[in-house]
Short mmCIF file of all heavy atoms in Angstrom, two decimals:
data_model
loop_
_atom_site.label_atom_id
_atom_site.label_comp_id
_atom_site.label_asym_id
_atom_site.label_seq_id
_atom_site.Cartn_x
_atom_site.Cartn_y
_atom_site.Cartn_z
N SER A 28 3.82 72.99 -0.77
CA SER A 28 5.22 73.30 -0.83
C SER A 28 5.79 72.39 -1.87
O SER A 28 5.10 71.56 -2.41
CB SER A 28 5.87 72.95 0.58
OG SER A 28 5.96 71.59 0.73
N PRO A 29 7.14 72.45 -2.19
CA PRO A 29 7.72 71.55 -3.17
C PRO A 29 7.54 70.09 -2.66
O PRO A 29 7.54 69.18 -3.46
CB PRO A 29 9.16 71.97 -3.23
CG PRO A 29 9.17 73.42 -2.89
CD PRO A 29 8.12 73.51 -1.83
N ASP A 30 7.44 69.85 -1.34
CA ASP A 30 7.37 68.52 -0.80
C ASP A 30 5.99 67.89 -0.97
O ASP A 30 5.94 66.67 -1.08
CB ASP A 30 7.80 68.52 0.66
CG ASP A 30 9.26 69.01 0.82
OD1 ASP A 30 10.12 68.55 0.04
OD2 ASP A 30 9.43 69.85 1.71
N ALA A 31 4.96 68.63 -0.87
CA ALA A 31 3.57 68.06 -0.86
C ALA A 31 2.53 69.12 -1.09
O ALA A 31 2.72 70.34 -0.84
CB ALA A 31 3.34 67.41 0.47
N VAL A 32 1.35 68.66 -1.55
CA VAL A 32 0.14 69.49 -1.69
C VAL A 32 -0.91 68.86 -0.79
O VAL A 32 -1.20 67.64 -0.90
CB VAL A 32 -0.38 69.60 -3.09
CG1 VAL A 32 -1.60 70.48 -3.20
CG2 VAL A 32 0.72 70.21 -4.01
N VAL A 33 -1.46 69.69 0.15
CA VAL A 33 -2.50 69.15 1.08
C VAL A 33 -3.89 69.75 0.53
O VAL A 33 -3.99 70.94 0.41
CB VAL A 33 -2.28 69.56 2.51
CG1 VAL A 33 -3.36 69.08 3.45
CG2 VAL A 33 -0.93 68.96 2.99
N VAL A 34 -4.86 68.87 0.24
CA VAL A 34 -6.06 69.25 -0.38
C VAL A 34 -7.23 68.76 0.47
O VAL A 34 -7.25 67.61 0.95
CB VAL A 34 -6.20 68.65 -1.76
CG1 VAL A 34 -7.55 68.93 -2.42
CG2 VAL A 34 -4.98 69.16 -2.64
N ALA A 35 -8.29 69.61 0.63
CA ALA A 35 -9.56 69.23 1.29
C ALA A 35 -10.62 68.89 0.26
O ALA A 35 -10.77 69.68 -0.72
CB ALA A 35 -10.03 70.40 2.18
N TRP A 36 -11.24 67.77 0.38
CA TRP A 36 -12.26 67.32 -0.55
C TRP A 36 -13.59 67.12 0.17
O TRP A 36 -13.63 66.57 1.21
CB TRP A 36 -11.91 65.96 -1.17
CG TRP A 36 -10.80 66.04 -2.24
CD1 TRP A 36 -9.48 65.82 -2.00
CD2 TRP A 36 -10.87 66.36 -3.55
NE1 TRP A 36 -8.74 65.98 -3.09
CE2 TRP A 36 -9.63 66.31 -4.12
CE3 TRP A 36 -11.95 66.78 -4.41
CZ2 TRP A 36 -9.35 66.59 -5.45
CZ3 TRP A 36 -11.69 67.01 -5.70
CH2 TRP A 36 -10.41 66.97 -6.24
N TYR A 37 -14.74 67.64 -0.51
CA TYR A 37 -16.08 67.46 -0.01
C TYR A 37 -16.85 66.91 -1.16
O TYR A 37 -17.10 67.64 -2.18
CB TYR A 37 -16.63 68.75 0.41
CG TYR A 37 -17.94 68.70 1.11
CD1 TYR A 37 -18.05 68.79 2.46
CD2 TYR A 37 -19.16 68.63 0.39
CE1 TYR A 37 -19.26 68.82 3.15
CE2 TYR A 37 -20.36 68.63 1.00
CZ TYR A 37 -20.42 68.73 2.38
OH TYR A 37 -21.66 68.76 3.03
N ILE A 38 -17.14 65.59 -1.17
CA ILE A 38 -17.80 64.97 -2.42
C ILE A 38 -19.25 64.63 -1.96
O ILE A 38 -19.52 63.80 -1.06
CB ILE A 38 -17.07 63.64 -2.65
CG1 ILE A 38 -15.54 63.78 -2.67
CG2 ILE A 38 -17.62 63.06 -4.03
CD1 ILE A 38 -15.00 64.63 -3.71
N ASN A 39 -20.18 65.28 -2.60
CA ASN A 39 -21.64 65.01 -2.38
C ASN A 39 -22.00 63.64 -2.87
O ASN A 39 -21.35 63.04 -3.72
CB ASN A 39 -22.49 66.09 -3.05
CG ASN A 39 -22.55 67.34 -2.31
OD1 ASN A 39 -22.61 67.39 -1.11
ND2 ASN A 39 -22.45 68.46 -3.02
N PRO A 40 -23.15 63.04 -2.37
CA PRO A 40 -23.59 61.79 -2.91
C PRO A 40 -23.71 61.83 -4.39
O PRO A 40 -24.18 62.83 -4.94
CB PRO A 40 -25.02 61.62 -2.23
CG PRO A 40 -24.80 62.35 -0.93
CD PRO A 40 -23.94 63.57 -1.28
N ASN A 41 -23.30 60.75 -5.08
CA ASN A 41 -23.34 60.56 -6.49
C ASN A 41 -22.32 61.41 -7.23
O ASN A 41 -22.26 61.31 -8.49
CB ASN A 41 -24.75 60.77 -7.08
CG ASN A 41 -25.72 59.84 -6.53
OD1 ASN A 41 -25.52 58.60 -6.47
ND2 ASN A 41 -26.85 60.32 -6.00
N GLN A 42 -21.49 62.16 -6.55
CA GLN A 42 -20.39 62.82 -7.23
C GLN A 42 -19.14 61.93 -7.21
O GLN A 42 -19.10 61.03 -6.39
CB GLN A 42 -20.02 64.14 -6.47
CG GLN A 42 -21.01 65.28 -6.73
CD GLN A 42 -20.58 66.56 -6.03
OE1 GLN A 42 -19.90 66.47 -5.02
NE2 GLN A 42 -20.97 67.65 -6.55
N LYS A 43 -18.14 62.19 -8.05
CA LYS A 43 -16.98 61.37 -8.12
C LYS A 43 -15.78 62.22 -8.45
O LYS A 43 -15.85 63.24 -9.04
CB LYS A 43 -17.12 60.17 -9.03
CG LYS A 43 -17.06 60.54 -10.47
CD LYS A 43 -17.10 59.34 -11.35
CE LYS A 43 -16.98 59.59 -12.84
NZ LYS A 43 -16.95 58.39 -13.63
N ILE A 44 -14.60 61.62 -8.02
CA ILE A 44 -13.34 62.06 -8.54
C ILE A 44 -12.98 60.97 -9.53
O ILE A 44 -12.86 59.78 -9.18
CB ILE A 44 -12.26 62.16 -7.46
CG1 ILE A 44 -12.59 63.21 -6.41
CG2 ILE A 44 -10.89 62.41 -8.02
CD1 ILE A 44 -11.73 63.30 -5.18
N PRO A 45 -12.82 61.33 -10.84
CA PRO A 45 -12.64 60.26 -11.83
C PRO A 45 -11.34 59.53 -11.63
O PRO A 45 -10.38 60.06 -11.05
CB PRO A 45 -12.62 61.08 -13.14
CG PRO A 45 -12.42 62.45 -12.79
CD PRO A 45 -12.85 62.63 -11.41
N PRO A 46 -11.27 58.33 -12.10
CA PRO A 46 -9.99 57.58 -12.03
C PRO A 46 -8.84 58.27 -12.65
O PRO A 46 -8.97 58.86 -13.74
CB PRO A 46 -10.33 56.27 -12.80
CG PRO A 46 -11.80 56.18 -12.80
CD PRO A 46 -12.31 57.57 -12.82
N HIS A 47 -7.76 58.31 -11.97
CA HIS A 47 -6.59 59.03 -12.40
C HIS A 47 -5.29 58.43 -11.71
O HIS A 47 -5.48 57.57 -10.90
CB HIS A 47 -6.69 60.59 -12.11
CG HIS A 47 -6.71 60.84 -10.62
ND1 HIS A 47 -7.83 60.68 -9.88
CD2 HIS A 47 -5.76 61.29 -9.81
CE1 HIS A 47 -7.60 61.05 -8.58
NE2 HIS A 47 -6.29 61.42 -8.56
N LEU A 48 -4.17 58.91 -12.07
CA LEU A 48 -2.95 58.54 -11.38
C LEU A 48 -2.02 59.74 -11.33
O LEU A 48 -2.19 60.73 -12.04
CB LEU A 48 -2.33 57.28 -12.07
CG LEU A 48 -1.90 57.40 -13.52
CD1 LEU A 48 -0.58 58.08 -13.70
CD2 LEU A 48 -1.86 56.05 -14.13
N HIS A 49 -1.00 59.61 -10.49
CA HIS A 49 0.01 60.52 -10.29
C HIS A 49 1.33 59.85 -10.77
O HIS A 49 1.77 59.01 -10.03
CB HIS A 49 0.16 61.09 -8.85
CG HIS A 49 -1.16 61.70 -8.45
ND1 HIS A 49 -1.59 62.92 -8.79
CD2 HIS A 49 -2.16 61.15 -7.65
CE1 HIS A 49 -2.75 63.22 -8.27
NE2 HIS A 49 -3.06 62.17 -7.53
N PRO A 50 1.87 60.13 -11.93
CA PRO A 50 2.98 59.28 -12.47
C PRO A 50 4.35 59.51 -11.64
O PRO A 50 5.19 58.67 -11.79
CB PRO A 50 3.19 59.79 -13.88
CG PRO A 50 2.48 61.09 -13.94
CD PRO A 50 1.40 61.11 -12.93
N ASN A 51 4.46 60.60 -10.93
CA ASN A 51 5.62 60.88 -10.20
C ASN A 51 5.53 61.08 -8.72
O ASN A 51 6.41 61.76 -8.13
CB ASN A 51 6.30 62.15 -10.82
CG ASN A 51 6.49 62.03 -12.29
OD1 ASN A 51 7.10 61.11 -12.77
ND2 ASN A 51 5.96 62.94 -13.04
N GLY A 52 4.46 60.51 -8.15
CA GLY A 52 4.36 60.65 -6.68
C GLY A 52 3.14 59.84 -6.14
O GLY A 52 2.43 59.19 -6.88
N GLN A 53 2.93 60.05 -4.84
CA GLN A 53 1.93 59.28 -4.04
C GLN A 53 0.83 60.15 -3.66
O GLN A 53 1.05 61.43 -3.36
CB GLN A 53 2.66 58.71 -2.85
CG GLN A 53 1.79 58.00 -1.88
CD GLN A 53 2.58 57.30 -0.88
OE1 GLN A 53 3.35 56.38 -1.18
NE2 GLN A 53 2.46 57.70 0.39
N ASP A 54 -0.41 59.65 -3.50
CA ASP A 54 -1.53 60.39 -3.02
C ASP A 54 -2.08 59.65 -1.83
O ASP A 54 -2.49 58.43 -1.98
CB ASP A 54 -2.58 60.49 -4.10
CG ASP A 54 -3.67 61.54 -3.79
OD1 ASP A 54 -3.74 62.03 -2.70
OD2 ASP A 54 -4.53 61.70 -4.70
N THR A 55 -2.17 60.20 -0.68
CA THR A 55 -2.67 59.57 0.52
C THR A 55 -3.88 60.33 1.01
O THR A 55 -3.81 61.49 1.19
CB THR A 55 -1.56 59.58 1.68
OG1 THR A 55 -0.36 58.97 1.18
CG2 THR A 55 -2.02 58.90 2.94
N TRP A 56 -4.98 59.59 1.25
CA TRP A 56 -6.23 60.15 1.72
C TRP A 56 -6.53 59.71 3.13
O TRP A 56 -6.39 58.54 3.49
CB TRP A 56 -7.47 59.68 0.86
CG TRP A 56 -7.37 60.02 -0.60
CD1 TRP A 56 -6.42 60.79 -1.22
CD2 TRP A 56 -8.28 59.65 -1.55
NE1 TRP A 56 -6.68 60.87 -2.58
CE2 TRP A 56 -7.89 60.23 -2.78
CE3 TRP A 56 -9.48 58.97 -1.56
CZ2 TRP A 56 -8.65 60.09 -3.96
CZ3 TRP A 56 -10.24 58.81 -2.74
CH2 TRP A 56 -9.80 59.39 -3.91
N THR A 57 -6.95 60.63 3.96
CA THR A 57 -7.47 60.34 5.29
C THR A 57 -8.98 60.69 5.28
O THR A 57 -9.35 61.86 5.14
CB THR A 57 -6.72 61.16 6.37
OG1 THR A 57 -5.27 60.85 6.31
CG2 THR A 57 -7.26 60.84 7.80
N ILE A 58 -9.75 59.63 5.41
CA ILE A 58 -11.27 59.79 5.26
C ILE A 58 -11.79 60.28 6.63
O ILE A 58 -11.61 59.62 7.64
CB ILE A 58 -11.95 58.49 4.85
CG1 ILE A 58 -11.22 57.89 3.62
CG2 ILE A 58 -13.42 58.79 4.60
CD1 ILE A 58 -11.13 58.76 2.41
N ILE A 59 -12.45 61.46 6.63
CA ILE A 59 -12.97 62.10 7.84
C ILE A 59 -14.42 61.63 8.09
O ILE A 59 -14.80 61.29 9.18
CB ILE A 59 -12.83 63.63 7.76
CG1 ILE A 59 -11.35 64.02 7.69
CG2 ILE A 59 -13.58 64.27 8.92
CD1 ILE A 59 -11.13 65.43 7.33
N SER A 60 -15.25 61.68 6.99
CA SER A 60 -16.62 61.25 7.17
C SER A 60 -17.17 60.73 5.84
O SER A 60 -16.58 61.06 4.78
CB SER A 60 -17.52 62.32 7.70
OG SER A 60 -17.56 63.39 6.79
N GLY A 61 -18.21 59.92 5.86
CA GLY A 61 -18.79 59.46 4.65
C GLY A 61 -18.29 58.10 4.26
O GLY A 61 -17.43 57.48 4.93
#
Side-chain angles (χ1 to χ4, degrees):
S28 73
D30 299 316
V32 179
V33 178
V34 177
W36 288 97
Y37 187 102
I38 316 292
N39 280 318
N41 299 312
Q42 287 182 330
K43 73 175 181 177
I44 296 174
H47 65 281
L48 58 83
H49 303 282
N51 304 307
Q53 176 171 296
D54 192 357
T55 303
W56 298 359
T57 302
I58 312 303
I59 297 169
S60 64

